[in-house]
Short mmCIF file of all heavy atoms in Angstrom, two decimals:
data_model
loop_
_atom_site.label_atom_id
_atom_site.label_comp_id
_atom_site.label_asym_id
_atom_site.label_seq_id
_atom_site.Cartn_x
_atom_site.Cartn_y
_atom_site.Cartn_z
N ASN A 212 -52.89 31.12 6.02
CA ASN A 212 -52.07 30.91 7.26
C ASN A 212 -51.71 32.21 7.89
O ASN A 212 -50.58 32.48 8.45
CB ASN A 212 -50.77 30.14 6.89
CG ASN A 212 -51.04 28.87 6.21
OD1 ASN A 212 -51.86 27.98 6.72
ND2 ASN A 212 -50.42 28.72 5.06
N GLY A 213 -52.74 33.15 7.87
CA GLY A 213 -52.48 34.47 8.44
C GLY A 213 -51.47 35.19 7.82
O GLY A 213 -50.89 36.16 8.35
N GLY A 214 -51.10 34.91 6.59
CA GLY A 214 -49.97 35.57 5.91
C GLY A 214 -48.60 35.08 6.19
O GLY A 214 -47.65 35.55 5.69
N ALA A 215 -48.57 33.96 7.01
CA ALA A 215 -47.27 33.38 7.39
C ALA A 215 -46.57 32.70 6.21
O ALA A 215 -47.34 32.12 5.34
CB ALA A 215 -47.42 32.47 8.59
N GLN A 216 -45.37 32.65 6.18
CA GLN A 216 -44.62 31.90 5.13
C GLN A 216 -43.47 31.11 5.72
O GLN A 216 -42.85 31.66 6.70
CB GLN A 216 -44.02 32.87 4.08
CG GLN A 216 -45.13 33.58 3.26
CD GLN A 216 -44.56 34.56 2.16
OE1 GLN A 216 -43.36 34.47 1.90
NE2 GLN A 216 -45.45 35.28 1.57
N ALA A 217 -43.30 29.90 5.26
CA ALA A 217 -42.23 29.04 5.84
C ALA A 217 -41.56 28.27 4.67
O ALA A 217 -42.18 27.96 3.60
CB ALA A 217 -42.79 28.16 6.88
N SER A 218 -40.38 27.84 4.87
CA SER A 218 -39.59 27.04 3.93
C SER A 218 -38.90 25.89 4.72
O SER A 218 -38.59 25.95 5.90
CB SER A 218 -38.58 27.80 3.13
OG SER A 218 -37.67 28.51 4.01
N ASP A 219 -38.49 24.89 3.91
CA ASP A 219 -37.80 23.72 4.57
C ASP A 219 -36.87 23.09 3.47
O ASP A 219 -37.19 23.15 2.33
CB ASP A 219 -38.88 22.66 4.98
CG ASP A 219 -38.21 21.57 5.80
OD1 ASP A 219 -37.92 21.83 7.03
OD2 ASP A 219 -38.01 20.46 5.28
N LEU A 220 -35.73 22.67 3.98
CA LEU A 220 -34.74 22.06 3.17
C LEU A 220 -35.09 20.62 2.67
O LEU A 220 -34.41 20.06 1.79
CB LEU A 220 -33.38 22.08 3.76
CG LEU A 220 -32.79 23.49 3.99
CD1 LEU A 220 -31.46 23.36 4.84
CD2 LEU A 220 -32.44 24.15 2.72
N CYS A 221 -36.11 20.05 3.27
CA CYS A 221 -36.46 18.66 3.06
C CYS A 221 -37.78 18.35 2.50
O CYS A 221 -38.33 17.34 2.80
CB CYS A 221 -36.15 17.92 4.33
SG CYS A 221 -35.94 16.12 4.15
N GLY A 222 -38.29 19.34 1.68
CA GLY A 222 -39.57 19.12 1.10
C GLY A 222 -40.54 20.20 1.34
O GLY A 222 -40.19 21.27 1.87
N GLU A 223 -41.78 19.96 0.96
CA GLU A 223 -42.83 20.97 1.07
C GLU A 223 -43.25 21.13 2.54
O GLU A 223 -43.22 20.14 3.25
CB GLU A 223 -44.00 20.53 0.22
CG GLU A 223 -43.72 20.42 -1.27
CD GLU A 223 -43.40 21.80 -1.97
OE1 GLU A 223 -43.86 22.88 -1.44
OE2 GLU A 223 -42.58 21.78 -2.87
N VAL A 224 -43.67 22.31 2.88
CA VAL A 224 -44.12 22.61 4.19
C VAL A 224 -45.69 22.38 4.16
O VAL A 224 -46.35 22.97 3.36
CB VAL A 224 -43.87 24.04 4.63
CG1 VAL A 224 -44.51 24.38 5.97
CG2 VAL A 224 -42.29 24.24 4.67
N GLU A 225 -46.13 21.70 5.18
CA GLU A 225 -47.62 21.51 5.32
C GLU A 225 -48.04 22.34 6.54
O GLU A 225 -47.38 22.36 7.57
CB GLU A 225 -47.93 20.03 5.62
CG GLU A 225 -47.66 19.09 4.40
CD GLU A 225 -48.02 17.71 4.71
OE1 GLU A 225 -48.67 17.40 5.78
OE2 GLU A 225 -47.75 16.75 3.79
N TRP A 226 -49.24 22.97 6.32
CA TRP A 226 -49.74 23.87 7.37
C TRP A 226 -50.95 23.28 8.04
O TRP A 226 -51.76 22.65 7.39
CB TRP A 226 -50.13 25.22 6.75
CG TRP A 226 -48.96 26.14 6.31
CD1 TRP A 226 -48.37 26.08 5.10
CD2 TRP A 226 -48.28 27.03 7.09
NE1 TRP A 226 -47.33 27.03 5.08
CE2 TRP A 226 -47.28 27.58 6.30
CE3 TRP A 226 -48.41 27.49 8.43
CZ2 TRP A 226 -46.33 28.56 6.77
CZ3 TRP A 226 -47.54 28.53 8.93
CH2 TRP A 226 -46.55 29.02 8.08
N THR A 227 -51.12 23.46 9.37
CA THR A 227 -52.30 23.22 10.10
C THR A 227 -52.54 24.38 11.04
O THR A 227 -51.68 25.21 11.25
CB THR A 227 -52.14 21.82 10.95
OG1 THR A 227 -51.04 22.04 11.84
CG2 THR A 227 -51.88 20.68 10.01
#
Side-chain angles (χ1 to χ4, degrees):
N212 307 304
Q216 295 183 5
S218 58
D219 189 74
L220 292 175
C221 200
E223 299 294 328
V224 175
E225 295 183 5
W226 289 90
T227 60

